[in-house]
Amino acid sequence: MSNSYLSISQVADELGLGTTTVRGYIAAGQLKASKLGGGKTSPIRVKRSDLEAFVDAGAL
């Protein structure tokens, strides 16, 4: 498993979903994500390993 980080747009592209849907999974706690930095506009990233776990769990 790789621990590279993906943007919400990259996750959406890989899953064939919209960014709003991906953000919903993150907000619901179904997909782990991290905010880089402490500001309101700090980018949100998803570890590839967390995305793989999300898919393997059949969350889609």
Side-chain angles (χ1 to χ4, degrees):
M1 272 193 237
S2 173
N3 278 331
S4 61
Y5 287 87
L6 304 169
S7 69
I8 289 177
S9 295
Q10 290 171 317
V11 172
D13 287 344
E14 288 202 21
L15 297 178
L17 301 171
T19 57
T20 302
T21 303
V22 173
R23 286 180 187 276
Y25 285 130
I26 292 169
Q30 294 176 289
L31 177 59
K32 292 182 186 178
S34 300
K35 206 169 198 185
L36 302 180
K40 283 187 176 182
T41 60
S42 296
I44 297 171
R45 297 291 184 259
V46 176
K47 279 187 187 179
R48 177 158 302 277
S49 58
D50 289 335
L51 176 60
E52 291 170 358
F54 175 76
V55 171
D56 290 345
L60 292 179

